[in-house]
Amino acid sequence: MKIHVEEGAGSDGKAAAVELAAGEAALVLHPKQIIAFQGRSGSREDRLLNVAGVYRKKRWIESRLTGPARFVLGVPAGFSFRAMELPEDSSLLFDIRYVLLYSEGMKLQSRFQKIKQAVVTQDWIRMKFSGGGTLGLLSCGPLCELTIDPSEPVYVDIGCLVAYPEEAKLQLCVYGNPLASQRMNYHWEITGSGKVLLQPSRPRFGLADPLQGDSLFKRILREALPFGGVIIK
């Protein structure tokens, strides 16, 4: 899989051009972001996820695209796109909301958060991608990597943490003197080995989340009916 990102100017959006060779396949978790496609019509297959898939991926539908084909993903203004090559033994746990696409063949495993963490983040699971492959990530600004240490903690705003190693230890905290702690968001105190992925600002999701804001009946109709996403608002 080859990915090239075209940067916009100023506050404009961006585009990520993806090329799949014969035998390659990619899964796109935000199908509406596919703004152009070149290949056989049958090379794109949109699939309605089962209940477990909806809960894990926070989507109703995902697109499977097979090569040889090329397609372009629209990246909304205010967001950045980054393609990462994950090794087979990657231990990073991701917030699935930031995953735009991934290579078919990668194994997704659910990891439940501790109750204290879930209460704050409003999310009970993180996703682990193993088996090696390409992961395409959306973030609020460019992603940065920060190395963590087993003994010297790193403090990270809970809204800016995109991924962290499974073996890392996370604790909710604030830090600094009393005035500093009163004027900051909750942070994760992180210790361990490896790297964490951060985004520079808290998300204001420009990508519509189909799991929020609608009744279950309306969501089912929107996905089941032809052009339901256009007709049913």
Side-chain angles (χ1 to χ4, degrees):
M1 186 189 307
K2 297 180 180 179
I3 301 177
H4 175 72
V5 180
E6 296 286 350
E7 297 287 342
S11 61
D12 295 338
K14 305 174 182 66
V18 183
E19 183 174 350
L20 298 173
E24 290 184 325
L27 298 169
V28 179
L29 294 182
H30 295 273
K32 288 185 178 181
Q33 301 309 122
I34 302 173
I35 60 174
F37 174 81
Q38 184 179 34
R40 295 184 301 104
S41 176
S43 294
R44 173 175 173 172
E45 177 190 1
D46 284 18
R47 307 184 292 195
L48 186 66
L49 298 174
N50 57 25
V51 174
V54 170
Y55 182 73
R56 295 168 67 201
K57 299 180 180 180
K58 293 181 171 45
R59 312 299 302 170
W60 284 95
I61 286 179
E62 69 178 4
S63 291
R64 179 178 183 267
L65 298 104
T66 56
R70 295 187 297 176
F71 60 95
V72 178
L73 296 169
V75 180
F79 284 79
S80 293
F81 176 86
R82 178 174 172 181
M84 295 184 61
E85 291 295 328
L86 292 184
E88 292 188 10
D89 58 350
S90 173
S91 66
L92 287 175
L93 301 182
F94 289 87
D95 186 330
I96 195 66
R97 294 177 299 173
Y98 300 108
V99 178
L100 180 54
L101 84 159
Y102 61 95
S103 301
E104 185 177 62
M106 298 181 77
K107 184 178 181 181
L108 277 69
Q109 298 171 301
S110 301
R111 293 291 187 266
F112 284 91
Q113 294 194 92
K114 296 179 181 179
I115 294 178
K116 289 182 179 179
Q117 297 176 2
V119 169
V120 174
T121 62
Q122 300 297 306
D123 190 8
W124 288 90
I125 60 174
R126 287 262 175 164
M127 297 304 300
K128 179 179 178 180
F129 292 80
S130 58
T134 303
L135 201 65
L137 298 171
L138 289 173
S139 59
C140 297
L143 278 178
C144 63
E145 298 181 0
L146 186 63
T147 301
I148 58 176
D149 185 86
S151 57
E152 185 176 355
V154 171
Y155 301 97
V156 178
D157 189 310
I158 62 171
C160 296
L161 182 62
V162 175
Y164 59 88
E166 185 174 13
E167 301 81 11
K169 182 179 179 181
L170 278 68
Q171 291 185 332
L172 275 175
C173 72
V174 291
Y175 65 94
N177 65 7
L179 182 59
S181 63
Q182 291 170 13
R183 297 178 62 83
M184 68 173 61
N185 300 316
Y186 274 111
H187 281 57
W188 294 124
E189 178 184 291
I190 307 176
T191 54
S193 300
K195 295 183 177 181
V196 296
L197 298 180
L198 312 174
Q199 59 184 352
S201 62
R202 283 173 163 250
R204 296 180 298 276
F205 281 98
L207 296 174
D209 184 352
L211 299 186
Q212 297 180 2
D214 285 337
S215 67
L216 177 62
F217 179 70
K218 182 182 289 187
R219 285 180 290 199
I220 293 175
L221 287 179
R222 181 182 290 120
E223 304 298 353
L225 296 177
F227 304 104
V230 176
I231 299 172
I232 301 175
K233 299 296 183 181

